[in-house]
Amino acid sequence: MAFQTPIGVPLTETQSNLLAQLSSLKSFLSIPDKRVMNLDKSRQISSFDYLLRLTQSTIGESFVDVMFRNFISKLFDPNSTKLEELVVKSLAKSLDANGKKISNSETNFAWLQTNVQPGLHTTFLVAKAIIAKQIITMIFGPKEKMDTSPEKQTQFLNYATCAEGLFSVSNDTSDTDGDIEFNTVQLRQRLQAGQIIFTISCQDVKISLPANIDDVFNQVINPTNTSTPPVNPAVFFDVISTHVGNETQRINSPVNNNAISKSFLQIIIEKIMNLITPAMEPHLAGALTKINSGPNGNLGLTSVDILSDPCTIRNLCGAGNESEFKKKSAFTASISNLLFAMICSIMLQLLIKEIKKLIANALAKRAKNKLQRKLEKQKQRLEILDSVQDATSAIQKSNAALETLNDIFNFDKQA
Amino acid sequence: MGCIQIDPKLQKSEEIAEFFSFLLSEARNVLPKLSIPKILLAKLRPGLDGSILANSVISRFNEIGIPTGPLENGSPNVMEAYTKMLCEEIVDSIQSDSRTDIAVDSGMVVTATGANAAGPVVTTGANPAPHTATGIIV
């Protein structure tokens, strides 16, 4: 039998329309329904993450940098009392949670504000730089950089390990209990080696503190010229962030330099929130002395009672003793949340300002474009009208011209 | 989330979204109410035309980098065809299926003139109840 080519049977318009409509109906039905998400607040994206996403998508990644540097600068500014205010609020919260009253005539917060905050500010003029240095050494390690005393070195190493993930800026809903143990061990090993590790394109990039970091620290903590105003220790974080970017460029690839510096700044924010309490603890001795010599006499409080170290909090976490956990974590919970509120507030203020500018510019551009398009269209319509007028007179002229030739067209009728 | 939870008072992502949505809706252009002469001048409008609409859209393709005309390999520009199809169908649908429901509120002043055996009569009144009308979009 000869080869038979299949003949495609053509469809009429009605037939093909119906086929198209029915098949699109089928695919429409297979699209999953839009689910209205009614999530509990703790399972929604956190305020920090949402503000971050808004900033990244509307203004850009570089503005995120500006926001974070703004936060770090405000927090560690020696001329500002922001950190002291947060410490005083958190001390008050911790005393309240532990049922301790410094004075019967006023609240713990009011008393601390009047009697402790000014002295704390004087201490923190120099201590802020030491606290910033302590946080950085606890991020990178090794323990030898964290303190001069071997006993304290082990203590700070433990604190740095336990503080990891104690407070998070994200509402992470995944169950990571299994990972926490593994990550803690890994972190301890990295801190002992004095490295942080980024995994970029399956390559582990290990970064240590720069060799000259002690000089950078000393220039701020022990300046040679004491008559100059104190330098904002936020500069330490700038140096470290630049160093991480440069090392990434050197070890991995120049294209990843920018992305890694920016990710690292984000990591620093969470590290500050988790490590500030153990970093600050040695500098609160004066405040504790004042508290213990308040109107209600010696309350016998130590830093362990009020501040609690990250390892104690970590051990109580999920151990079932909720009231003890709340008492021990009161200071850390308060200062972490206050720092969280501070950074969200900075991000929100800057974002509102930028988005208002964006909307105003977009509106102005939209109005200008709309007006331009309208004017163009009106101009085109007028040109059409003009050309129609010309055409009309052209038709009349053409008809008038043809009339002179009618003798020829109608000659046969005339004869 | 870590051991220490974010204070519920700081879980404000929904409120942040609502605030920025409010900023965007506040920024929306509100067209002024048209005067009666301007509305009556609509009689001079030519009406919707799918092809003209499609042409207007296609003429702006180069603003966003979409090529116009046949493609480099000679194949027809499917984007233009799609735009034309979309505009034509939308305009056809508006012109053949859409309906404008109008309601005139009560209290509209009505003046009527007439005459009877006694002479010309002028009456003034108002419609006592709302009245509806239907229109189409051309």
Side-chain angles (χ1 to χ4, degrees), chain A residues 72-362:
Chain A
I72 296 172
S73 175
K74 278 191 172 144
L75 187 66
F76 288 103
D77 185 359
N79 300 318
S80 150
T81 56
K82 190 71 197 171
L83 182 57
E84 292 85 324
E85 287 164 19
L86 302 186
V87 169
V88 157
K89 276 189 187 139
S90 305
L91 281 172
K93 278 252 154 67
S94 179
L95 288 165
D96 294 341
N98 284 281
K100 304 290 179 186
K101 206 111 173 59
I102 307 171
S103 164
N104 291 329
S105 58
E106 52 187 335
T107 62
N108 284 331
F109 175 61
W111 192 92
L112 288 166
Q113 231 183 354
T114 318
N115 298 286
V116 167
Q117 195 170 312
L120 198 59
H121 179 59
T122 311
T123 310
F124 273 21
L125 278 172
V126 178
K128 275 179 184 171
I130 303 172
I131 292 166
K133 174 191 166 188
Q134 189 67 55
I135 291 172
I136 288 170
T137 54
M138 287 169 85
I139 293 172
F140 280 85
K143 63 179 183 179
E144 288 76 18
K145 285 236 185 263
M146 295 180 194
D147 202 278
T148 47
S149 138
E151 195 189 310
K152 286 262 179 195
Q153 284 169 9
T154 310
Q155 195 180 61
F156 278 121
L157 178 65
N158 291 338
Y159 289 169
T161 315
C162 295
E164 179 69 11
L166 209 56
F167 178 82
S168 175
V169 294
S170 306
N171 284 337
D172 182 14
T173 54
S174 58
D175 179 18
T176 52
D177 279 344
D179 289 339
I180 288 173
E181 283 302 319
F182 175 76
N183 287 341
T184 308
V185 169
Q186 291 279 302
L187 174 62
R188 197 179 178 85
Q189 285 171 352
R190 286 201 316 261
L191 284 172
Q192 280 167 332
Q195 288 166 341
I196 54 164
I197 301 178
F198 289 103
T199 306
I200 310 164
S201 311
C202 304
Q203 183 196 7
D204 277 348
V205 177
K206 294 177 184 169
I207 302 174
S208 301
L209 279 171
N212 68 338
I213 194 63
D214 288 328
D215 294 333
V216 174
F217 288 152
N218 278 332
Q219 274 167 24
V220 177
I221 295 170
N222 301 311
T224 44
N225 188 355
T226 50
S227 58
T228 54
V231 174
N232 189 332
V235 71
F236 295 164
F237 296 98
D238 291 339
V239 166
I240 292 301
S241 180
T242 310
H243 170 70
V244 165
N246 290 342
E247 284 294 283
T248 307
Q249 191 168 317
R250 185 178 67 78
I251 298 168
N252 184 260
S253 160
V255 300
N256 289 324
N257 163 9
N258 232 6
I260 292 302
S261 313
K262 289 183 192 329
S263 304
F264 183 64
L265 211 50
Q266 223 171 301
I267 292 168
I268 281 181
I269 298 297
E270 212 171 81
K271 293 281 185 188
I272 288 175
M273 291 181 189
N274 282 315
L275 296 172
I276 199 163
T277 305
M280 241 179 352
E281 187 260 330
H283 308 282
L284 297 180
L288 268 171
T289 309
K290 275 243 163 72
I291 290 170
N292 280 327
S293 48
N296 281 351
N298 190 350
L299 299 172
L301 293 167
T302 61
S303 64
V304 170
D305 299 320
I306 302 183
L307 300 180
S308 288
D309 60 270
C311 294
T312 307
I313 299 170
R314 174 70 70 191
N315 290 335
L316 284 168
C317 183
N321 194 345
E322 198 57 36
S323 65
E324 191 63 16
F325 173 74
K326 276 205 167 105
K327 275 189 211 171
K328 291 289 181 189
S329 65
F331 181 88
T332 306
S334 172
I335 201 153
S336 303
N337 275 295
L338 285 167
L339 287 170
F340 182 81
M342 183 180 165
I343 193 169
C344 287
S345 164
I346 289 171
M347 289 172 83
L348 202 50
Q349 282 170 15
L350 291 172
L351 199 56
I352 289 171
K353 204 168 137 191
E354 289 302 312
I355 286 188
K356 277 187 173 171
K357 262 195 261 177
L358 195 72
I359 291 174
N361 287 343

Side-chain angles (χ1 to χ4, degrees), chain B residues 61-62 65-71 77 79-80:
Chain B
F61 271 10
N62 55 5
I66 301 177
T68 52
L71 301 178
N77 192 326
M79 194 69 191
E80 282 183 0

